[in-house]
Amino acid sequence: MNIIQKRLEEVLKAAFSSCGYDESLGTVVTSNRPDLCEYQCNGAMAGAKKYHKAPFVIADEVAAACADNVIFEKIESVKPGFINITVAPEALAEMLAEVAADGHLLTEQTGTGKKVIMDYGGPNVAKPLHVGHLRAAIIGESLKRIYRYAGYEVLGDIHLGDWGLQMGLIMEELRRRQPDLPYFDPAYEGDYPKEAPFTLSDLEEIYPTASARSKEDAAFAEAAHNATIALQKGVRGYRAIFEHIIALSVTDLKKNYEKLDVHFDLWKGESDAQAFIPDMIADMEAKGLLVESQGAMVVEVQEETDTHDVPPCLIKKSDGASLYATTDLATLVQRERDYHPDEVLYVVDKRQDMHFTQVFRTARKAGIIRPETKLTFLGFGTMNGKDGKPFKTREGGVMRLETLISDINEAALARIKENGSMDDDAAQEVAEMVGLAALKYGDLSNQAGKNYVFDMDRFLSFEGNTGPYILYTIVRIKSILKKYLTEADASMNGSILPAGDASEKALQLKLCGAGAAINDACDDIAPHRICQYIYEVSNAFNSFYHEHRILTESDKERKKSWISLISAALRVLETGIDLLGFSAPEQM
Ligand code: ARG
């Protein structure tokens, strides 16, 4: 909770109680009439019924009982029974000093001692990353950072899609092209070459070719399916090709995620879970959970309270091929064994909602996880083009992530060159930072579950609720501080004085809310709350900035106080963007 609210509540609760009312009535909220007051307490309204008194009578009594407290500049009861509160500037400055002195901006460490696994990558090996994987990476990375800031131990797991038909397709296409490779010779017993018989760009061409061929050529499709099963059964030559594909893909993925400032602690994949499947299925069988349905083995997961159909979870098909759900369940077996998480959070396209409902229910029924382990699915919406349909290239194809990123960087570069006089290398570097901020903020400022429209011009604008606007604000503060530090009597340790006017006070009030905003984002699994908060802080800072000449202020104490104030603003904003997953340049 916001420190101001907390302190006000302490006072209000004591007042309600001293007047003979339940102290729970002393809840304080931010004012919905900022023209009248900063905070308000509506407890007298709630208490009226219980105590058979007019609400304004209660409000009068309570306000009078605590009116002397130094925390208030003004506390008044207004008809029909609200208590309006304006915080005293002296008390506010002291509270802000507490925020500034705290290592976590007074973010409550709600996650201390808890371990969370975040499953948020999900790229499919050997297929290029496309924009569909962008949201998982952006949202997941931000949540990982937010959870960590609130004290959780978080392990980010990329959970590679490395066990599907795409592997069989590549292998079969390779066999067609180079049938004499030792991998395809069942009699071959020697070591396989260390070097792959293909490059990454070969792979990127092989997969789509094979995928197209399988649609036209039934025999090829069948062979690819069999190759997939052969790999899944562990046939040596296939396994060796698989290792080559993974090695090439992972190197490339690391490079791409690095560019997005997205980092995983675990690089496990679907293939790593396979070894756990046989025992898991045997256990489900022993528990009597597996039933036959249309030739497959399933676990029933429909519950009485369901208002819609929840189909059974498919565990095993008749040909023995592994299924998506089976793999996710076996992954949970592995996660439980290796990490004992308190929570597993999946950040995946919301169209996979049903899949996760089935997997979670099966995992509970089968006792794969401990009963107290939380399983959470955060389903995100799609990133659409301006036509409202999932984002495509101009030619109508799936947009590769690399292309999207280089497009946005190019546009950012043009913007920066318009603005200033940086040399080319510096401009390029800044453009990448601005581009990433535009991309990530454009995504994260929307509620994750909603679809949003990718609008490059808007995302890149230096004005409005955008990443570049936040960066611009940060750069502005940094530049003031830099200039200040060249002054002869510069000192960074002035205390924050009580605000002298409205814009200064508004900024102080906003900054006190940092920890609460971060806790809210964490509790609600909602990075957009951080965007909203830092946007408000930026606005408050810019209003303050336009009304004050900080560097030419002649009152030394006042000036030092402002320097401390804007340093606090800088720290709040930089923490905010770090939690969103990007950082600010020195100039732009
Ligand atoms: N590879 C999957 C896809 O591209 C996403 C994986 C999500 N995570 C999971 N544990 N199922 O759709």
Side-chain angles (χ1 to χ4, degrees):
M1 194 195 284
N2 180 333
I3 178 176
I4 307 173
Q5 235 170 309
K6 197 155 150 191
R7 294 287 154 76
L8 290 173
E9 279 193 4
E10 284 161 14
V11 176
L12 264 297
K13 286 192 166 156
F16 270 95
S17 157
S18 75
C19 295
Y21 306 111
D22 196 309
E23 68 155 30
S24 69
L25 295 171
T27 308
V28 171
V29 294
T30 40
S31 160
N32 55 19
R33 288 288 305 275
D35 52 323
L36 296 180
C37 59
E38 291 154 357
Y39 287 89
Q40 65 188 66
C41 169
N42 306 333
M45 304 293 289
K49 226 185 179 155
K50 184 168 173 198
Y51 297 103
H52 306 290
K53 276 192 189 173
F56 70 85
V57 175
I58 300 178
D60 277 348
E61 274 179 80
V62 171
C66 59
D68 290 343
N69 196 295
V70 291
I71 199 165
F72 305 117
E73 178 178 295
K74 197 161 98 185
I75 175 164
E76 54 176 0
S77 78
V78 294
K79 294 257 163 72
F82 298 112
I83 299 173
N84 288 355
I85 298 165
T86 304
V87 180
E90 295 74 15
L92 177 59
E94 277 168 29
M95 289 189 271
L96 181 54
E98 278 186 55
V99 175
D102 185 76
H104 290 99
L105 300 167
L106 292 184
T107 304
E108 278 177 56
Q109 298 300 292
T110 49
T112 305
K114 288 184 212 145
K115 192 190 287 177
V116 182
I117 294 184
M118 287 195 190
D119 181 317
Y120 67 94
N124 299 312
V125 164
K127 299 191 204 171
L129 276 179
H130 60 78
V131 301
H133 294 114
L134 183 66
R135 294 210 76 192
I138 292 180
I139 300 168
E141 177 71 18
S142 174
L143 287 172
K144 181 185 76 182
R145 296 178 184 208
I146 293 169
Y147 270 59
R148 281 192 182 150
Y149 200 81
Y152 287 88
E153 181 191 342
V154 186
L155 290 170
D157 185 3
I158 189 164
H159 197 70
L160 295 170
D162 60 0
W163 206 240
L165 179 62
Q166 83 262 31
M167 292 297 177
L169 284 167
I170 293 169
M171 292 187 190
E172 209 37 47
E173 180 64 19
L174 199 62
R175 185 216 296 280
R176 225 185 49 83
R177 295 180 189 193
Q178 304 181 57
D180 297 333
L181 288 173
Y183 307 93
F184 302 118
D185 176 4
Y188 184 78
E189 284 182 357
D191 289 336
Y192 294 111
K194 288 229 158 18
E195 284 289 307
F198 42 77
T199 63
L200 185 75
S201 47
D202 293 337
L203 263 189
E204 289 184 353
E205 174 267 324
I206 292 176
Y207 171 71
T209 310
S211 168
R213 194 185 310 287
S214 74
K215 283 179 190 120
E216 285 152 18
D217 179 344
F220 179 82
E222 163 98 28
H225 178 73
N226 290 337
T228 312
I229 292 181
L231 168 67
Q232 299 189 341
K233 292 212 168 104
V235 173
R236 234 180 118 241
Y238 288 93
R239 188 74 208 180
I241 302 177
F242 170 82
E243 305 290 350
H244 288 316
I245 300 177
I246 296 284
L248 287 174
S249 275
V250 164
T251 310
D252 183 56
L253 284 169
K254 285 199 167 147
K255 196 182 81 211
N256 277 295
Y257 280 113
E258 201 66 40
K259 269 197 213 149
L260 282 172
D261 206 353
V262 168
H263 314 273
F264 297 97
D265 306 290
L266 304 174
W267 279 77
K268 298 208 174 289
E270 296 177 352
S271 62
D272 292 296
Q274 303 309 313
F276 297 85
I277 292 179
D279 282 355
M280 178 182 82
I281 293 189
D283 187 56
M284 287 176 173
E285 232 150 25
K287 288 182 171 139
L289 294 172
L290 279 185
V291 294
E292 215 209 290
S293 163
Q294 298 165 5
M297 299 308 279
V298 304
V299 175
E300 301 279 358
V301 290
Q302 182 89 44
E303 289 171 6
E304 264 173 39
T305 47
D306 289 336
T307 51
H308 56 276
D309 221 33
V310 183
C313 186
L314 208 54
I315 303 293
K316 199 163 91 178
K317 278 205 295 197
S318 45
D319 66 1
S322 39
L323 290 146
Y324 190 40
T326 323
T327 297
D328 263 324
L329 286 163
T331 304
L332 275 176
V333 172
Q334 183 179 27
R335 287 174 176 165
E336 178 57 35
R337 187 197 71 170
D338 294 347
Y339 307 107
H340 266 318
D342 297 282
E343 180 176 359
V344 186
L345 171 66
Y346 297 81
V347 182
V348 182
D349 191 313
K350 72 177 173 196
R351 287 169 290 191
Q352 296 192 23
D353 191 358
M354 183 56 86
H355 164 75
F356 284 100
T357 302
Q358 293 168 318
V359 167
F360 292 177
R361 288 184 180 185
T362 306
R364 295 219 178 275
K365 270 188 129 168
I368 288 174
I369 44 150
R370 290 164 297 147
E372 63 275 22
T373 306
K374 246 170 100 178
L375 295 175
T376 313
F377 172 65
L378 178 68
F380 53 79
T382 45
M383 175 174 126
N384 290 333
K386 282 188 182 162
D387 58 359
K389 301 206 187 94
F391 194 82
K392 292 270 157 68
T393 58
R394 238 170 269 151
E395 294 74 35
V398 173
M399 175 74 111
R400 294 179 57 147
L401 196 50
E402 269 181 301
T403 316
L404 179 81
I405 295 174
S406 70
D407 283 359
I408 203 157
N409 287 347
E410 213 172 283
L413 186 61
R415 234 345 112 88
I416 283 154
K417 288 203 161 148
E418 258 167 47
N419 275 21
S421 50
M422 258 177 259
D423 70 54
D424 282 358
D425 281 353
Q428 186 63 45
E429 202 179 306
V430 172
E432 282 174 22
M433 296 177 103
V434 172
L436 192 63
L439 188 65
K440 288 193 166 185
Y441 195 94
D443 186 306
L444 293 169
S445 52
N446 303 285
Q447 214 174 306
K450 297 206 168 127
N451 301 342
Y452 73 95
V453 173
F454 178 78
D455 180 344
M456 186 136 86
D457 289 335
R458 190 172 72 73
F459 287 5
L460 269 175
S461 167
F462 284 23
E463 281 154 41
N465 192 6
T466 70
Y469 170 66
I470 311 284
L471 295 192
Y472 196 75
T473 308
I474 290 175
V475 167
R476 177 173 268 169
I477 303 177
K478 284 191 187 178
S479 113
I480 302 170
L481 293 176
K482 247 181 260 161
K483 283 194 199 126
Y484 172 72
L485 285 174
T486 63
E487 293 178 8
D489 56 353
S491 105
M492 292 298 287
N493 48 15
S495 54
I496 296 176
L497 297 176
D501 62 33
S503 71
E504 187 175 356
K505 193 173 186 198
L507 179 57
Q508 293 190 2
L509 283 166
K510 260 298 149 229
L511 292 175
C512 282
I518 296 168
N519 281 128
D520 285 348
C522 185
D523 296 347
D524 297 349
I525 325 182
H528 74 274
R529 299 210 171 219
I530 301 219
C531 294
Q532 185 57 37
Y533 173 69
I534 60 174
Y535 177 53
E536 289 167 6
V537 169
S538 298
N539 287 340
F541 168 78
N542 284 311
S543 306
F544 169 75
Y545 169 80
H546 287 298
E547 286 178 22
H548 299 83
R549 309 225 149 272
I550 301 171
L551 291 174
T552 53
E553 169 64 34
S554 55
D555 177 340
K556 287 265 145 50
E557 285 313 302
R558 182 57 56 198
K559 178 167 168 178
K560 263 204 254 171
S561 158
W562 285 346
I563 292 296
S564 300
L565 174 62
I566 68 170
S567 303
L570 177 64
R571 176 161 164 236
V572 165
L573 289 174
E574 288 202 301
T575 303
I577 63 170
D578 183 57
L579 295 180
L580 297 176
F582 55 91
S583 43
E586 291 305 308
Q587 55 172 150
M588 66 189 266

